[in-house]
Amino acid sequence: MIIDILARLRERIANACQNAGRMPEDVLMIAVSKTYGTDAIRSVFEAGVVHFGENKAQELRDKFAELGDQITWHFIGSLQANKVKYVVDAATYIHSIDSLKLAKEIASQAAKKEKHLKCLVEVKTSQEPSKAGILDKEELFKIADFIREQPVLELVGLMTIAPFVDDKKIIRDSFHSLATLREEMKRSGYPLEHLSMGMTGDFEEAIAEGATMIRIGSAIFGNRTYNR
């Protein structure tokens, strides 16, 4: 069953890449396993998926304790400074750095644990009040500069969440603005390999605008119930 689900999903990714003139191997699929237990994660892992994303610090900590580093863990949710310690042990990537204070705490905890972390800065590309991320470009560059200076951190990209609307143009505009920002920063010398954008409902639009990481949850695991 899960093999069939992943095959159909990979076919959609390949078609989106073909339409965009891109190669499927240039897009990394992250299976977002929040609220799902380790048995579900093992099934997807055994079907060939290595990269998994988690939104909650303690949930990532507990899953890492059971499954370890055979999985490449991505932390993709909002992160409070007092919970960074739970994430640093487990994560290889942190996608959701949205303040200088948070970046400093991540650097401090990583140094204590002698852990190297790949970092993405979260940018707000819509006007939705519920969305996290940086709006001010000056602040973005300050955070990027700080990360680049830390021997335990590596600046690898930018992340965003598109607005939850039906209008595909609005969604693509959100992704396009992040891609444009990355190109601007690359011209200024920032080594930004990745654009983390696109989820189950909009990953084709994200691929069309240059996403290198897409975060897929319900298309793999099914619709969630949050009382697990």
Side-chain angles (χ1 to χ4, degrees):
M1 179 68 173
I2 189 61
I3 291 175
D4 294 335
I5 289 170
L6 291 171
R8 289 193 295 270
L9 185 53
R10 290 184 175 119
E11 183 177 4
R12 287 178 61 190
I13 292 168
N15 288 338
C17 287
Q18 183 177 25
N19 291 337
R22 303 179 61 200
M23 300 298 291
E25 55 264 32
D26 294 333
V27 179
L28 174 66
M29 183 183 70
I30 301 164
V32 179
S33 46
K34 64 178 182 180
T35 78
Y36 280 88
T38 52
D39 287 344
I41 294 172
R42 282 194 185 94
S43 295
V44 177
F45 176 76
E46 289 168 0
V49 177
V50 176
H51 293 262
F52 287 78
E54 288 290 334
N55 287 59
K56 302 293 185 183
Q58 288 101 320
E59 190 174 347
L60 172 58
R61 175 200 62 192
D62 294 346
K63 290 175 179 177
F64 176 74
E66 185 170 345
L67 297 172
D69 58 6
Q70 62 182 330
I71 284 168
T72 300
W73 296 101
H74 298 246
F75 188 81
I76 61 175
S78 294
L79 182 57
Q80 296 173 331
N82 65 344
K83 295 183 179 178
V84 168
K85 58 185 180 238
Y86 302 134
V87 170
V88 167
D89 280 333
T92 299
Y93 292 84
I94 298 179
H95 291 231
S96 49
I97 299 175
D98 61 358
S99 71
L100 185 57
K101 176 185 176 182
L102 178 59
K104 288 180 176 179
E105 182 61 22
I106 291 169
S108 174
Q109 292 291 337
K112 287 178 185 177
K113 298 172 183 291
E114 298 182 342
K115 178 75 181 289
H116 180 269
L117 289 166
K118 297 179 185 293
C119 299
L120 295 90
V121 182
E122 184 173 4
V123 178
K124 187 172 182 177
T125 56
S126 77
Q127 297 304 312
E128 287 187 316
S130 62
K131 292 289 187 293
I134 297 164
L135 275 171
D136 182 74
K137 191 179 291 187
E138 182 178 348
E139 183 183 5
L140 169 62
F141 277 81
K142 284 181 180 178
I143 295 169
D145 286 337
F146 174 80
I147 292 171
R148 288 203 302 176
E149 293 166 359
Q150 307 309 306
V152 291
L153 304 183
E154 180 183 357
L155 180 67
V156 299
L158 303 175
M159 186 268 260
T160 198
I161 301 173
F164 296 126
V165 296
D166 293 327
D167 190 325
K168 300 294 187 184
K169 183 181 184 305
I170 293 174
I171 293 170
R172 283 195 62 160
D173 285 348
S174 172
F175 295 144
H176 182 75
S177 68
L178 192 73
T180 300
L181 180 59
R182 181 182 72 154
E183 291 307 309
E184 177 185 340
M185 294 184 72
K186 285 175 70 175
R187 288 193 297 270
S188 298
Y190 295 88
L192 300 176
E193 177 184 0
H194 289 297
L195 286 174
S196 171
M197 56 190 197
M199 300 185 290
T200 291
D202 56 19
F203 71 80
E204 281 107 341
E205 288 75 25
I207 289 172
E209 295 296 340
T212 65
M213 292 174 163
I214 56 175
R215 310 179 302 269
I216 308 298
S218 59
I220 296 173
F221 293 98
N223 292 327
R224 290 179 168 84
T225 54
Y226 286 92
N227 59 349
R228 290 177 185 274

